[in-house]
Amino acid sequence: MAEPLSVSEKRFLKALAGAPVDRPPFWIMRQAGRYLPEYRAVRATTRDFVSFCLDSEKACAVTLQPIERFGMDAAILFSDILIVPHGLGQGVRFVEGEGPRLDPVTTETGIAALSMEGFHDRVGAVYETVRLLSKRLPGDVALIGFAGAPWTVATYMVAGQGTPEQKPARLWAYRDPDGFQALIDLITEATIDYLAAQVEAGAEALQIFDTWAGSLPETELTRWVFEPIARIRAALRARFPHVPVIGFAKGIGPALPQLAPRTGVEAVGIDSAVPLSFVRDEVQPGAVVQGNLDPLLVVAGGKAMHDRVETILKTLGPDRFVFNLGHGVVPETPPEHVAALSRQIREWRP
Ligand code: CP3
């Protein structure tokens, strides 16, 4: 392993700090995953997905796979956003071909059955994964820790599964906002401690995934998305002033320019539906931006992918920009297309 570069020399951290870079850094959401045969080989050795996430050696191994194959500038800890409900004592399992299943929390009694007692014991393997990674990553690669945002995590905790329009959580929030607030508060407190422990173990930047932020009207967007993320950001800043946070609030379109000023995050993830000129003119002046190639263009590959990548790099690069997809890479993606994408970005110069 190469000597670690000082933090300020890692391209990904430089870009997040707003410092000039030779070319934009890149990583890919869900970069460790089923599109890679080497991931599937390790994954096949543990049946249960929660147990897989909590096996530090295996989680570390699959985190390193895309870095070794494609040379990303950052590695994201391999885990899942539903490890937080697991830590709080909620039953969480993943059904092959269907997705996550949780014992739904639908009442204040249900919330009262969850607690922070035993949380760090239940999720401690994640911190161990971070410690292993900070020893084993190449010296120029930054390590990203993450958690789901309280709203998105709540949508799964309440429905007990993925729901196309997040109806159960939205209805609870409309019918009984104070009751629902208690759930958001609990997740918020857990997330602060969980991310703080990841930083103490070696995470150099953090991403908060609010995949379902786009299902909320503006009053609720403020209360359930901006306010909890602002609390998490402020609590982390008090303890770790130097660790940047990326907020990924998918689907909020015209509200994106408000995300950084209203929450304090340094960087804003951009989904594929947001026009690049809007990102450049309205979001980038107030935050570093990250995104936003359509994951299906990496399935298609070829000229369509390369032309779009060039446009994104030219419009948003080189500074205050991290290249990424607009959402996670999908399982049917040919790894050769990710290799071609990686080459294009590594060789690109302004
Ligand atoms: O980006 C990375 O490489 C880090 C690992 C990571 C995973 N999930 C691994 C995973 C991260 C950051 C996540 C985040 C996550 N998990 C989100 C938010 C971001 C997003 O993609 O919208 C959400 C909503 C989840 C919840 C989740 N996890 C669902 C709905 C599913 C099932 C659907 C599916 O794709 O299978 C998962 C499972 C999951 N998480 C897998 C992986 C690699 C696939 C499970 C397997 O390998 O068997």
Side-chain angles (χ1 to χ4, degrees):
M1 195 185 89
E3 271 305 295
L5 297 180
S6 83
V7 161
S8 61
E9 288 170 85
K10 296 188 185 185
R11 192 182 279 109
F12 175 74
L13 297 174
K14 274 167 91 170
L16 286 183
V21 285
D22 55 345
R23 55 135 177 109
F26 79 108
W27 66 282
I28 289 177
M29 289 191 277
R30 294 264 183 114
Q31 62 193 20
R34 284 168 296 190
Y35 74 107
L36 288 178
E38 61 267 35
Y39 170 87
R40 296 196 299 270
V42 182
R43 178 73 185 87
T45 62
T46 304
R47 199 188 165 127
D48 172 59
F49 185 65
V50 173
S51 308
F52 184 61
C53 290
L54 296 176
D55 183 322
S56 305
E57 281 294 340
K58 288 179 188 174
C60 176
V62 299
T63 304
L64 295 171
Q65 288 171 348
I67 308 302
E68 285 156 4
R69 206 196 247 250
F70 306 117
M72 284 89 175
D73 297 288
I76 184 162
L77 157 73
F78 187 85
S79 180
D80 195 84
I81 64 166
L82 300 180
I83 291 299
V84 164
H86 167 80
L88 288 168
Q90 187 172 17
V92 179
R93 62 210 171 276
F94 285 79
V95 180
E96 174 91 60
E98 289 183 30
R101 293 290 180 273
L102 301 81
D103 304 333
V105 175
T106 54
T107 59
E108 290 190 61
T109 320
I111 300 171
L114 305 174
S115 87
M116 283 303 288
E117 213 183 297
F119 180 87
H120 293 296
D121 292 334
R122 280 192 287 266
V123 308
V126 173
Y127 314 146
E128 178 58 18
T129 307
V130 176
R131 277 190 288 274
L132 293 176
L133 283 166
S134 49
K135 283 184 241 157
R136 294 181 193 170
L137 271 173
D140 54 351
V141 179
L143 178 54
I144 308 170
F146 76 91
W151 163 250
T152 287
V153 173
T155 67
Y156 289 94
M157 292 178 74
V158 173
Q161 59 183 65
T163 42
E165 296 169 87
Q166 299 78 51
K167 281 182 194 167
R170 283 163 61 202
L171 282 172
W172 187 357
Y174 284 130
R175 286 174 175 150
D176 172 24
D178 293 344
F180 187 70
Q181 182 77 55
L183 178 61
I184 291 291
D185 288 347
L186 177 67
I187 304 168
T188 302
E189 291 312 313
T191 303
I192 290 167
D193 284 6
Y194 180 62
L195 291 174
Q198 291 181 32
V199 173
E200 276 167 352
E204 298 169 293
L206 298 168
Q207 177 153 322
I208 300 175
F209 287 88
D210 220 343
T211 307
W212 304 122
S215 62
L216 295 174
E218 63 179 329
T219 309
E220 287 70 28
L221 183 69
T222 295
R223 183 161 180 184
W224 308 125
V225 171
F226 291 158
E227 287 177 6
I229 295 177
R231 279 168 61 196
I232 294 166
R233 182 68 198 99
L236 292 167
R237 178 167 285 115
R239 293 180 58 183
F240 313 104
H242 56 284
V243 176
V245 177
I246 305 163
F248 177 56
K250 187 170 169 286
I252 69 169
L256 272 173
Q258 298 175 43
L259 182 64
R262 292 182 65 172
T263 65
V265 297
E266 285 70 16
V268 169
I270 309 289
D271 64 71
S272 306
V274 186
L276 294 179
S277 57
F278 179 81
V279 178
R280 182 193 57 210
D281 299 341
E282 309 294 336
V283 189
Q284 207 168 21
V288 172
V289 295
Q290 172 180 284
N292 77 341
L293 186 71
D294 186 342
L296 291 193
L297 273 172
V298 195
V299 178
K303 188 173 181 327
M305 174 177 81
H306 290 301
D307 285 354
R308 183 68 189 172
V309 170
E310 179 68 24
T311 303
I312 293 173
L313 289 166
K314 264 200 198 131
T315 310
L316 300 179
D319 301 336
R320 297 174 67 73
F321 175 54
V322 174
F323 187 94
N324 204 315
L325 307 187
H327 198 191
V329 63
V330 296
E332 56 270 41
T333 306
E336 313 80 72
H337 293 180
V338 178
L341 169 69
S342 304
R343 263 196 310 277
Q344 183 181 3
I345 301 164
R346 282 194 270 101
E347 287 165 13
W348 190 82
R349 289 297 177 276

